[in-house]
């Protein structure tokens, strides 16, 4: 959900369990502290996504209590201290010790706080935190898809490499087993398009236990707004697709990959958000939901299919793997050569040391 909206309680603005952001804890704690201020909580609940994104809400920081400001100052100092430690660890790993570090210049690479002022939490800090989290969360899903696609392609690449290692008979048997598993995985009831009338009616009937002939979008929305905050957030939407996903994925079946199921859930949520979430604040209001049920697409009875990657993408990925392997071999060879050179230097040093000791010994004998 939006970095300052959504979440866990009736009045809460808590984030999802994990946003994947490296400053998740700081973001979470700032929100929790701001929530304790009645004035700010009121303004936050009345604000729309544009108010939050534009920084208009940040100006309300001037009106929160002194006690809250003191807590926010402390959170910022802790975060700056954490970032300085991260920078130091990075510098220690990449360069010599005892080098003077210009922390201010380095802190500027972090976009979620104002590095010029390292002691107090100001409106600018809240504005930067919201902007950074909004931008990063938008990129998060895309990065997740890319990572998942690579996981799928690696799985297929390893399967093909394994087949190459088998003799003809075993390879044919393994191919037949794989085709059988693929066929079995595809044998399931039709998966309805997420957010369509058919999909929602199935939830209404089978999950909510209600009469399909009395399907009512407004009642449906209120039933599935589980924290009663007037919007469907990403978690509440994703919960609606469990019935569809269970048609395709069963943890007891060898051919069903549960990681694929969660990727499918994410894609379903994105599909609904794209069609329903008009102002793109990652939340669905009742008005947006009801408008989506008036669209032509809502009544379309087609099925839902997803293609993870193409054969061309797989070939490109395999070429990348070959290049990476070649680079690793090259590095290993370079390290081996370095190791040999060091060994030779050590032999030379030992010889020089021995020679030096003999000379010292001769001088000592001559002196006596």
């Amino acid at each position: 959900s939006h970095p300052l909206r959504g979440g866990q309680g009736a009045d809460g603005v808590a984030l999802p369990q994990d946003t994947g952001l490296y400053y998740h804890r700081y973001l979470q704690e700032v929100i929790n502290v701001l929530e304790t201020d009645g004035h700010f909580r009121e303004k936050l609940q009345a604000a729309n996504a544009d108010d939050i994104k534009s920084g208009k809400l940040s100006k309300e920081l001037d009106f929160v209590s002194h006690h809250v400001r003191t807590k926010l100052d402390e959170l910022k100092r802790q975060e700056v201290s954490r970032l300085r430690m991260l920078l130091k660890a990075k510098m220690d790993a990449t360069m010599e010790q005892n080098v003077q570090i210009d922390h201010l210049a380095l802190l500027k690479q972090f976009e979620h706080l104002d590095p010029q002022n390292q002691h107090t939490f100001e409106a600018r800090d809240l504005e930067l935190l919201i902007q950074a989290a909004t931008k990063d969360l938008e990129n998060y899903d895309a990065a997740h898809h890319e990572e998942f696609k690579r996981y799928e392609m690696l799985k297929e690449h390893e399967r093909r490499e394994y087949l190459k290692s088998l003799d003809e008979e075993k390879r044919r048997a393994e191919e037949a087993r794989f085709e059988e598993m693929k066929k079995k995985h595809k044998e399931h009831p039709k998966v309805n398009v997420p957010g369509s009338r058919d999909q929602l009616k199935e939830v209404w009937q089978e999950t909510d236990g209600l009469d399909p002939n009395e399907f009512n979008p407004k009642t449906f929305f209120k039933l599935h707004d589980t924290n009663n905050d007037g919007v469907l957030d990403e978690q509440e939407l994703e919960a609606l697709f469990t019935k569809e996903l269970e048609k395709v994925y069963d943890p007891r079946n060898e051919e069903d990959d549960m990681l694929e199921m969660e990727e499918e859930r994410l894609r379903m949520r994105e599909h609904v958000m794209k069609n329903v979430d008009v102002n793109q604040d990652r939340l669905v209001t009742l008005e947006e939901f009801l408008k989506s049920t008036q669209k032509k697409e809502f009544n379309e009875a087609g099925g839902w299919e997803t293609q993870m990657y193409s054969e061309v993408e797989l070939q490109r990925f395999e070429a990348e793997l070959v290049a990476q392997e070649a680079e690793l071999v090259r590095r290993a060879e370079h390290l081996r050569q370095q190791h040999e050179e060091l060994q030779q230097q050590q032999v030379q040093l030992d010889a020089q040391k021995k020679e030096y000791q003999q000379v010292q010994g001769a001088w000592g004998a001559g002196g006596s």
Side-chain angles (χ1 to χ4, degrees), residues 97-113:
Q97 306 272 341
N98 306 321
V99 175
Q100 198 61 38
I101 299 174
D102 181 354
H103 275 106
L104 181 59
L106 289 168
L107 279 168
K108 283 180 182 171
Q109 66 188 284
F110 299 109
E111 296 178 343
H112 65 288
L113 46 70

Side-chain angles (χ1 to χ4, degrees), residues 15 18 30 40 58 100 211 214 223 247 317 328 346 367:
L15 289 163
D18 182 17
V30 167
F40 193 90
S58 306
Q100 198 61 38
D211 185 341
E214 291 176 15
L223 272 173
K247 293 175 183 176
F317 174 73
L328 285 173
Q346 189 62 51

